[in-house]
Structure formats: C-alpha cells, structure tokens
Amino acid sequence: MKPNPSTSNDISFDDFKTQILQDYEIAVTSRECSLMGRREVLSGKAKFGIFGDGKELPQLAMARAFQNGDFRSGYYRDQTFMMALGYLDPKSFFHGLYATTDLEKEPMSAGRQMGGHFGTHSLNEDGTWKNLTEQKNSSADISCTAGQMPRLLGLAQASKIYRNVEGIEQSNFSNNGNEVAWGTIGNASTSEGHFFETLNAAGVMQVPMVICIWDDEYGISVPSEFHTTKGSISEALSGLQRDEEKNGFEILKVHGWDYTALIHTFENASDIAREQHVPVILHVTELTQPQGHSTSGSHERYKSSERLEWERENDCNKRFREWIIENGISTEEELKKTEREIKQKVRAAKKEAWTEFLSPQIQAKKVLVQLLDQAASKSPNRAFITKLKNDLIAIEEPLKKDLATKSRKALRYLLGETSPEKKALQQWVDNYIKNGEYEYGSHLYNEIGNKATSIAPVPPIYSEDSEEVDGRVILRDNFDKLFTKYPKALVFGEDTGNIGDVNQGLEGLQKKFGKLRVADTGIRETTIIGQGIGMALRGLRPIAEIQYLDYILYAIQTLSDDLATLMYRTVGKQKAPLIVRTRGHRLEGIWHSGSPMGGLVHLLRGMYILAPRNMTQAAGFYNTLMKSDEPALIIESLNGYRLKERKPDNLGEYCTPIGKVETLKDGKDITLLSYGSTLRIVEKVAQDLLEVGIDAEVIDAQSLLPFDLEHDVVKSLQKTNRLLVIDEDVPGGCSAYLMQEVVEKQEGYRYLDSKPQTLTAKAHRPAYASDGDYFSKPNAEDIFEKVYHIMHESDPQTYPALR
C-alpha cells in the first residue's frame, strides 16, 4: 500500500476518481485491521485493543491536507491517518498489537506502547536530526486523555518562531514557518483541563494549529450531554470564533461521513492555519464507534437499540461506499471484489506478523529445551528439571516470560552443582535476561551522541578583577551569553519577559533579544511545559520557566507522562531537549514552600533533576545542558538571588558536571549530604561542630537525577563511617531516595559504624513567616543536635548528652 495523500486541488476527474478508490481501499483496510484486531485480543494473542473504526473518513481527509514538515499530536484512534501517510500497514499494525520488540517490524515503539499509539522517527541512528521538512511527522502518542494537547501548542509555536525570529538556522526543521500542527482528540476528552488550557493559549498566541475533534457522541459509556455544555463542543466554544475586530479561532464543522465536504473543510483549515497562522477548531460530527470504546467491553451495554441502528446506517465507510456507487465511481461488484482482496491481505498480514512475533521465542525455546535436557541428565534432580522442560515443550506459542520463568526455576534444582551443563544454562539465563531488560528498558536517557553526563566539566575562572555581585546577576549575564551563542535558545514563562522574571534573572534580555525569544505567558503551567516540548521536538532549544517549585505540580502529568518518557517510548527515535527552570526551597507559607523532591525524582525518571546551591552552579548547569540534548529540571535556590557571589570571567562557557557530587568541606567524623538552600545551613553548622570536636565532611549532592555516578559519597563513608542526609522534603522523600542510592546502590552499609539517618522537614508544610520555617524544616540547631546525637551514641564519654 503506497498511498499518495495529495489534495484535490487542480487534479482531473480521473485523478480524483483514483484518489477516491485509493481512499476507499485504505478505509476498508483500516476497518478490517480493527475487526481482526479485536478478535486477536479476545483470542488472547494480544493484551488489549483500542482501534480507529468509525473514524476512517475524516482521517483520510486530514491526510490529504497534511504536508511535509507538518506535525501530528494525536490520540489512539488515528490508525487510518497513519496508513494514509504510508507509515502503517496491516503487518506493522498487528506487530503493534502483539507488542513485537523489533523496531523494524513495529516502528512506533517496538512494543513499549499498546497498539494505536503512533510516532515517526525524527532522529538518525547516531542521534542527529533527520530533515523534518522532507517527511510528514507525528509526535509520539501517550494514552492519557487530552495529554497530547499541551505539546501541540509548542509544535505550532515553533512555526511562529521560525517565521518571525531572524537569525535561526531553519535547515531540517522549517520552511519559513509554513508547517501546521494537527491535533486530534475525541469529543469527550475535550472536557479535560489540558484541552481548554491549550485552546486558550493558542487563541492568545495565534499559532498555526488545527484541532480535529472526532465526535461520536460518547465518552466510553457516557453520552456527550454529560461531558460538554450544550452537548456540542463547537457550540460551547463559539465565543472563540474570530471576527474582524478580535483574534480567535476559526471554527469549522463537518459531518464525518461526507467525503467531499471533509476534503474541502480540511483543505480550508490547512490553508487558514498555514498561511495566516490562525488556529482552527475542526469539529467532525456524526461519527460512530462500531466496536465500542475498546476490547474491555461492548457498547451494546450502554447504547440504545435506536442509536445502534443509527450507527449502522451512518457508518462513515458504509456512507462512503454508497456515495461511490451512486456517483458512478465504481460498481457494487468491483467494490466487493476489492473488499474480498483486502480481507485476504489483512488476514495474511496478521498471520505473517504472528509468525514473525513468535519466531525468536521458538528459536530460543529449541536452544533452552536442549540446555534443560543436558542439565537434567547430570543432575540428581533430573525429574524436576525434566518436568519443567516438558512443560515448556507443551507451550506451542511461548512468550519471552515463559522461557525466562522455566529456565530460572530450573536453576533452583541445580543449587550446589558445578557441572558444565549448569554453567551453560546459567550463561543462557544471564544473556536472555540481559537482552530482555535492554529490549524493554533502553533509552530512558540518551545512549548516543552528546549525552549530558559526558559533557566535560569546565570550572569557573576568576581573576583579581572578578567582582562580587548578586547571584541573579550571574544568571542574567550567563543567559545573555547563551542567547547570543545559541540563536535557537528561547525562554518563556509567567513574568519572564517584560520584567525579566520575578527575581530579575532575565533583566533586560527581552529588550535585547525580542518578545518571541524572551516571552511572557499567561498563568498556565501545563501548556508552558507543552510549549517547550513541542518546540524542542522541532529543533529549538526552549527554556520553560515555572515560577515556583510548587507550581510544577500543575504540570506534573505532562512532565511525567510525556517529556520524561519520550526517548524511552520511541526507543531513541524522538527527543525533546527541554530545560525547565524553576525556583524554590526555604520559602515561607504553605503554598510557596513545598519541597516535592521525592515525588519529582520518582515521577520524572527520564529527565535530569538538578538542585544547585547557588547561581554560579546553576548557570554552569544551563551551560552544560545547552551543549547536550536532553531534558532537565533545574531548581534554583529562591533565597540565593540576592546573596553575593564572585562573578566568573568565563560566563557562558564553564560547565557544572551532571551526575557528580561536590565535597565542600573535608572531615573525618561524619558525612553530611544535602543540596540546595539547606546546604548553606549545613555548611554553617559544620563550622559550629568543630567547636565541640566534631569534624564533619560536607557533600553537595547538586545532581539528584542522576546521582553521584562516580560513587564519591561512599568514598567519604570509608573515612567517616557515619552518614546523615539532610533534606527539606517530607520524611521518606528525597532523603530516602539518597539514602537508598548511598547505602544500597553504593553499598555504603559496609563502612558504617552507626545507623545511617535522615533529617527532614516535618510531614506538613510550613506555616507562614520565619517561625513557620524554623519549626517545620531542618534548622541549624536541628542539624547540630542530630549530628551531635549520632556522635553521642557512638562515644557517650567524649560527647555527653546534650539534652
């Protein structure tokens, strides 16, 4: 199947007829895949199925309007669209359903995402960018309803940047901003906040976006009147319609079974967005969902007999077929012949995909059976191993876990034995598990190219003329250097532009670099992150500013489910090197003083999380990240902007290493590990402890994800034999994470003479003002007394009880 999704502009009737029949073939092929796919799930060959049946016709129209360089940010029913672009065929469809781990056979995610999740390859094998203007692009889907909307905003904004900002190299990424970002979403998912936040932002920003709403009048089992005001999303959003006086959206509405109207409406939407950079809402109504929401249930349970009959009569494929015959484009007999051939092709593709899916396991099974047989022949536990072997032989269609389970259980019966046969089985198991873990666990972070942890550290350089300045000046002047050095760099957020952020770390930079590169946004954290993801997917180097650390919780779903998983779920075929800038720690008041670090280090695996103690370190992290191409979160210390620091002479050049700790004070009695603003208190306490004869070693974690790749903390424990982790997160939060890293991963327990301990904030958030901070988070006296108590426990004679 090699479709040619050209538009109907300026083509002959014969060409238009060919296009129609080609579209019909794709629609029928897609429907047959959906029908057979459901049966494969119900037969147990696939885990779960969610399909695009009932949405075929509008997706064909969208494919006709979709041009090279355009991007899709869609949801899990767009299989017909991907088939129309030539990125999906029946065999790869079934490989996706079976979760084949071969990227050649299952190019969307190599089995990491369930079927129906689509993406194209933006990167070459070496991690460099492909020419995105020479291909039709799809950002990698996520399952979360409306989760695709925030990144859609950034994909569209990139066109605005490329069209309007001078000095940016556009090669591979844009043709003067002529690209449209196409979003797809089900009507019920428009109830999500992500949708409305994206919509509002796009209307304000006027970016080339087309949001296609597939409306089948249900959200799983719930009809649209329970989801949407007036029961119609286009009616509910009618106030956004642009007019001669005010910007807004162009709102278009079309029936999903009307082929010619769909073709013209999608072309119209494309032209408006592409030429005028006006966002478009395209509401596609009267669609159906013939097999219900998914394989988890039947829609007969919640739809009336009248509705089911209406859906049968108004199925878009059925109406398309009738229209083709009525207009003399083809005959009943010709279409039946085509349909029979397509069924045979899809059935053959399904069978071939299943055979290819099983083939590696069947080959591995043969080898394993032989190894088990050989191991059994030399073992006193022959009967038990033979039973495992026979059980494995009986599995005609083995999964990888079947082989792993049987082989690992067999090793239990070989305990204490030393035969060559046992060793061969052990090696097979080790290799099989290693390969499996790589197939399902690779590419959480960049594995090739200029990964951030490989960027060589460059220390800040000082001279006799280096002045002492407020920390925010170091940040400001470093950003100035970066924006000059990297024309694709831009920053945006609440109060980021005109006033230069709330702490003046960007003071004056909007005037110098323009309102598009140093930009203000509305109060909308989720789509600030979405802007960054979308623009990073299109080759720009965005810095998304979240005003305070607490506010990052508004955007945590987008960060966690989209940005942090992007490289993993595409097996290294897409990247979004977004830097998220925020500030926090040692704040006062419940809503500006949270320290959700434990949550962040767990929810954002796949990103770097960096917590510099001062602005010099922070600037160095920005410099390092701009030399690499991975996403990261940098948390600046809020109370450090006005503290004095020496200004380095090599701003924009020095690099703080990622994945390394820094020892700030050597000591011999106890290791104190902390980070960020709390670290300054720890440093002061370390000097006070000297007065009572305690020599503490102070280590700045600074890089939380990844943490201490060179295991320097355990080297400290070899000297001090004691460990205290100090952190202003809640109990069991980031301090527990650091403790596991040091005691378990680095095997620090081997060198401890005292129980390793943590000192954290209380479980509640601080009340307002300094007294709230003092009694809620670790203060100098808390740290002093905790350290002293550890020393008292180990040597009460030298360190008598304090209180």
Side-chain angles (χ1 to χ4, degrees):
M1 180 168 55
K2 295 183 178 179
N4 177 27
S6 59
T7 69
S8 60
N9 291 332
D10 302 321
I11 62 175
S12 67
F13 177 76
D14 286 340
D15 289 338
F16 188 50
K17 179 179 176 180
T18 300
Q19 171 187 304
I20 291 167
L21 294 177
Q22 183 185 75
D23 279 352
Y24 184 71
E25 289 182 20
I26 296 170
V28 173
T29 299
S30 180
R31 180 64 62 88
E32 283 300 317
C33 286
S34 295
L35 296 172
M36 290 189 190
R38 181 180 177 84
R39 290 196 286 270
E40 290 299 275
V41 174
L42 297 179
S43 73
K45 287 184 177 179
K47 193 88 171 177
F48 180 77
I50 195 160
F51 306 109
D53 47 303
K55 315 297 187 296
E56 291 90 351
L57 222 55
Q59 291 179 30
L60 291 168
M62 177 175 156
R64 295 287 167 192
F66 201 89
Q67 297 184 15
N68 282 349
D70 286 0
F71 260 87
R72 165 190 169 273
S73 183
Y75 85 141
Y76 39 71
R77 299 199 189 277
D78 290 344
Q79 69 195 46
T80 309
F81 172 77
M82 296 301 287
M83 288 179 174
L85 294 190
Y87 287 125
L88 187 71
D89 59 28
K91 191 163 79 165
S92 60
F93 169 89
F94 286 105
H95 273 300
L97 193 66
Y98 303 141
T100 301
T101 56
D102 185 337
L103 195 62
E104 291 294 321
K105 295 180 173 63
E106 204 286 87
M108 302 304 163
S109 73
R112 294 185 178 185
Q113 299 212 89
M114 66 183 182
H117 291 70
F118 308 114
T120 53
H121 295 184
S122 299
L123 305 179
N124 297 305
E125 291 300 317
D126 62 357
T128 59
W129 291 98
K130 291 176 176 286
N131 189 333
L132 303 184
T133 67
E134 293 180 349
Q135 64 181 40
K136 296 174 174 66
N137 305 284
S138 174
S139 59
D141 293 344
I142 57 176
S143 292
C144 321
T145 53
Q148 71 274 28
M149 289 290 104
R151 97 173 82 97
L152 176 65
L153 180 66
L155 290 169
Q157 186 188 2
S159 290
K160 191 179 186 77
I161 297 296
Y162 282 121
R163 180 174 289 185
N164 294 289
V165 176
E166 295 182 1
I168 296 181
E169 174 57 49
Q170 298 193 14
S171 299
N172 293 352
F173 300 108
S174 182
N175 178 19
N176 195 37
N178 291 330
E179 302 78 24
V180 172
W182 300 78
T184 65
I185 188 169
N187 57 295
S189 293
T190 62
S191 302
E192 294 278 11
H194 287 4
F195 172 80
F196 281 99
E197 189 172 313
T198 300
L199 211 65
N200 182 63
V204 170
M205 295 167 63
Q206 291 292 286
V207 291
M209 168 197 299
V210 179
I211 297 181
C212 308
I213 303 167
W214 309 144
D215 190 348
D216 57 25
E217 299 187 18
Y218 281 83
I220 308 182
S221 66
V222 180
S224 57
E225 59 261 32
F226 292 96
H227 290 285
T228 309
T229 302
K230 299 183 179 181
S232 168
I233 191 63
S234 55
E235 289 185 41
L237 298 176
S238 58
L240 298 178
Q241 174 67 51
R242 63 176 178 157
D243 55 38
E244 294 181 358
E245 296 181 1
K246 292 184 178 180
N247 290 329
F249 274 77
E250 186 66 34
I251 302 177
L252 306 174
K253 192 173 180 179
V254 63
H255 294 318
W257 45 261
D258 189 336
Y259 181 76
T260 54
L262 284 165
I263 292 292
H264 292 303
T265 303
F266 273 85
E267 288 177 358
N268 187 25
S270 174
D271 291 342
I272 292 169
R274 198 177 308 280
E275 296 168 11
Q276 303 175 43
H277 275 201
V278 168
V280 179
I281 297 168
L282 209 167
H283 185 194
V284 183
T285 64
E286 297 195 7
L287 289 170
T288 66
Q289 202 150 276
Q291 299 187 114
H293 173 263
S294 67
T295 54
S296 61
S298 169
H299 64 156
E300 285 83 3
R301 293 182 301 162
Y302 53 84
K303 290 178 182 175
S304 67
S305 57
E306 292 79 11
R307 173 67 193 187
L308 291 170
E309 178 61 26
W310 182 91
E311 290 197 7
R312 282 189 288 271
E313 291 301 315
N314 290 281
D315 182 294
C316 65
N317 282 14
K318 180 177 181 291
R319 295 287 294 266
F320 189 26
R321 188 181 194 276
E322 292 169 348
W323 178 84
I324 289 172
I325 295 172
E326 288 170 4
N327 286 275
I329 296 168
S330 187
T331 66
E332 174 80 20
E333 291 72 23
E334 289 170 338
L335 293 183
K336 281 186 175 180
K337 181 176 181 292
T338 297
E339 291 157 4
R340 284 194 299 270
E341 291 173 350
I342 288 172
K343 275 191 175 184
Q344 292 171 357
K345 288 179 182 177
V346 173
R347 190 176 292 113
K350 172 178 69 86
K351 184 177 180 180
E352 189 175 350
W354 182 244
T355 300
E356 291 179 352
F357 168 76
L358 284 177
S359 179
Q361 289 87 266
I362 290 174
Q363 294 302 315
K365 173 184 166 181
K366 291 178 182 178
V367 175
L368 179 56
V369 166
Q370 185 176 11
L371 289 171
L372 290 173
D373 193 53
Q374 292 169 350
S377 67
K378 299 292 179 67
S379 174
N381 290 318
R382 176 184 304 172
F384 299 103
I385 301 172
T386 299
K387 183 180 185 308
L388 286 172
K389 180 194 73 173
N390 291 336
D391 289 345
L392 180 60
I393 291 172
I395 303 174
E396 295 182 1
E397 297 178 336
L399 299 177
K400 291 176 183 176
K401 71 175 184 178
D402 295 323
L403 279 67
T405 299
K406 302 300 182 188
S407 61
R408 295 171 79 177
K409 283 185 176 179
L411 291 176
R412 301 175 192 176
Y413 298 113
L414 297 170
L415 286 170
E417 299 182 26
T418 57
S419 68
E421 290 78 8
K422 174 188 175 180
K423 186 174 182 180
L425 180 60
Q426 285 175 321
Q427 290 176 340
W428 187 93
V429 171
D430 289 345
N431 290 334
Y432 197 74
I433 296 300
K434 182 179 179 181
N435 291 337
E437 288 176 346
Y438 183 80
E439 284 181 327
Y440 295 103
S442 69
H443 294 91
L444 182 60
Y445 295 91
N446 183 16
E447 296 187 356
I448 53 179
N450 55 334
K451 60 188 300 182
T453 52
S454 298
I455 302 298
V458 177
I461 296 173
Y462 301 96
S463 63
E464 292 182 0
D465 298 329
S466 298
E467 57 181 328
E468 281 206 344
V469 297
D470 289 346
R472 62 113 189 158
V473 173
I474 293 174
L475 273 178
R476 180 198 66 191
D477 292 355
N478 193 79
F479 279 131
D480 190 347
K481 297 284 187 181
L482 288 181
F483 292 144
T484 301
K485 184 177 181 180
Y486 300 101
K488 290 185 176 181
L490 60 159
V491 64
F492 46 92
E494 299 158 15
D495 298 314
T496 296
N498 184 39
I499 69 170
D501 87 41
V502 290
N503 296 102
Q504 301 288 278
L506 296 162
E507 179 189 24
L509 297 188
Q510 185 183 80
K511 185 176 181 180
K512 180 174 182 178
F513 294 102
K515 291 183 179 181
L516 288 176
R517 290 191 67 193
V518 183
D520 285 311
T521 70
I523 299 176
R524 46 175 182 78
E525 286 76 14
T526 298
T527 45
I528 289 172
I529 297 301
Q531 285 178 248
I533 296 172
M535 286 193 284
L537 280 165
R538 293 191 57 192
L540 296 169
R541 295 307 311 268
I543 300 172
E545 182 174 311
I546 301 298
Q547 195 168 77
Y548 295 109
L549 181 58
D550 286 67
Y551 296 169
I552 214 161
L553 298 179
Y554 283 90
I556 198 68
Q557 186 273 330
T558 300
L559 286 166
S560 180
D561 290 338
D562 200 351
L563 180 60
T565 68
L566 177 65
M567 185 161 284
Y568 168 77
R569 72 181 190 269
T570 63
V571 200
K573 292 303 180 183
Q574 289 186 7
K575 62 183 176 183
L578 167 63
I579 301 171
V580 181
R581 178 191 184 211
T582 190
R583 52 189 68 83
H585 295 145
R586 308 312 299 201
L587 287 81
E588 296 170 349
I590 292 176
W591 307 121
H592 286 72
S593 57
S595 180
M597 300 304 299
L600 296 178
V601 297
H602 295 303
L603 292 169
L604 301 184
R605 300 296 171 101
M607 293 180 63
Y608 296 126
I609 298 182
L610 311 171
R613 67 183 180 274
N614 58 36
M615 302 310 154
T616 302
Q617 296 295 98
F621 277 136
Y622 288 113
N623 297 340
T624 300
L625 290 167
M626 289 301 292
K627 287 186 176 181
S628 64
D629 57 2
E630 293 166 274
L633 168 65
I634 297 181
I635 304 160
E636 299 165 9
S637 296
L638 181 60
N639 58 7
Y641 293 106
R642 302 291 173 179
L643 297 180
K644 299 297 182 183
E645 299 179 36
R646 288 186 73 196
K647 183 177 176 181
D649 296 341
N650 57 337
L651 290 175
E653 300 297 333
Y654 71 89
C655 295
T656 307
I658 292 175
K660 284 183 64 68
V661 301
E662 183 175 354
T663 301
L664 303 181
K665 177 188 173 301
D666 291 325
K668 60 182 177 59
D669 294 325
I670 188 170
T671 298
L672 306 181
L673 175 63
S674 189
Y675 61 89
S677 297
T678 301
L679 188 75
R680 289 197 292 271
I681 304 174
V682 174
E683 286 187 279
K684 173 64 170 61
V685 170
Q687 298 304 315
D688 295 342
L689 287 167
L690 290 172
E691 298 176 5
V692 293
I694 300 173
D695 187 11
E697 184 145 296
V698 179
I699 297 180
D700 181 6
Q702 70 179 351
S703 175
L704 301 177
L705 275 181
F707 172 74
D708 193 12
L709 296 176
E710 297 182 4
H711 291 191
D712 288 327
V713 176
V714 78
K715 296 170 189 173
S716 173
L717 295 187
Q718 291 173 16
K719 290 191 303 177
T720 67
N721 310 119
R722 296 177 184 87
L723 172 66
L724 175 63
V725 180
I726 305 104
D727 170 47
E728 64 175 271
D729 198 359
V730 295
C734 193
S735 59
Y737 158 74
L738 293 172
M739 185 70 77
Q740 183 190 32
E741 286 284 312
V742 175
V743 175
E744 182 180 329
K745 189 173 179 180
Q746 297 187 12
E747 297 188 337
Y749 70 91
R750 295 176 180 272
Y751 308 102
L752 293 175
D753 293 337
S754 298
K755 177 178 68 174
Q757 297 189 46
T758 63
L759 179 61
T760 70
K762 301 298 190 293
H764 58 80
R765 294 194 181 189
Y768 179 60
S770 298
D771 285 340
D773 175 86
Y774 185 87
F775 286 100
S776 302
K777 293 188 175 183
N779 57 57
E781 289 69 42
D782 291 335
I783 299 168
F784 184 99
E785 291 178 8
K786 185 74 168 181
V787 173
Y788 190 87
H789 180 70
I790 293 172
M791 300 303 296
H792 164 72
E793 280 189 331
S794 65
D795 187 356
Q797 193 166 14
T798 303
Y799 307 102
L802 184 62
R803 68 180 178 92

